[in-house]
């Protein structure tokens, strides 16, 4: 029985995603950027194109250039300056990282979804960013 438990534990650990320092750095950059409403800092981690959805602004782009996405986010942060941002859930699979969080502004709360994909140079970049009014 002990051998079976040991095997299951080692099997599970073998398939758990390994978080690197760059993963932690990316998560911290996203969290800090959203807490401060810093579109420039956040956009530095965007893929060349990404999916951007901001339902209150009627923004729904399945593929938008990162520079255009940065301008849209600057406008959003001006209209809805952050009071707080907190991650609620983080997960991973194969070459993906995904997170959900809560963005709080005066009188409004947004559910935030962030999808990150591993690029060809092995670093994670933001591939999708959604703000949905809660």
């Amino acid at each position: 029985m002990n051998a079976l438990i040991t095997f299951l534990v080692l099997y599970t650990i073998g398939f758990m995603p390994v978080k690197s320092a760059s993963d932690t750095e990316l998560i911290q950059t996203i969290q800090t950027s959203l807490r401060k409403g810093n579109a420039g800092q956040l956009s530095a981690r965007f893929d060349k194109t990404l999916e951007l959805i901001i339902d209150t602004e009627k923004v729904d782009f399945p593929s938008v250039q990162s520079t255009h996405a940065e301008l849209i986010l600057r406008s959003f942060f001006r209209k809805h300056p952050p009071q707080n941002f907190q991650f609620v859930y983080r997960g991973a699979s194969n070459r993906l990282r995904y997170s959900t969080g809560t963005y709080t502004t005066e009188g409004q709360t947004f559910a935030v979804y962030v999808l990150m994909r591993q690029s060809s140079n092995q670093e994670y970049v933001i591939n999708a960013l959604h703000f949905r009014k809660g």
Side-chain angles (χ1 to χ4, degrees), residues 29-78:
T29 298
I30 293 168
Q31 187 164 340
T32 301
S33 300
L34 291 171
R35 279 187 179 158
K36 294 181 177 183
N38 188 334
Q41 182 181 27
L42 186 60
S43 69
R45 301 308 301 255
F46 285 170
D47 201 351
K48 291 176 185 173
T49 62
L50 65 143
E51 178 181 24
L52 180 63
I53 297 174
I54 306 174
D55 64 359
T56 58
E57 307 300 306
K58 300 193 182 348
V59 170
D60 190 348
F61 291 109
S63 180
V64 63
Q65 294 291 320
S66 60
T67 52
H68 190 201
E70 179 182 355
L71 295 173
I72 294 168
L73 280 176
R74 283 183 196 276
S75 175
F76 173 78
F77 289 144
R78 275 193 304 274

Side-chain angles (χ1 to χ4, degrees), residues 18-33:
V18 177
K19 287 196 171 191
S20 68
S22 65
D23 289 355
T24 304
E25 179 186 324
L26 176 59
I27 293 297
Q28 288 174 346
T29 298
I30 293 168
Q31 187 164 340
T32 301
S33 300

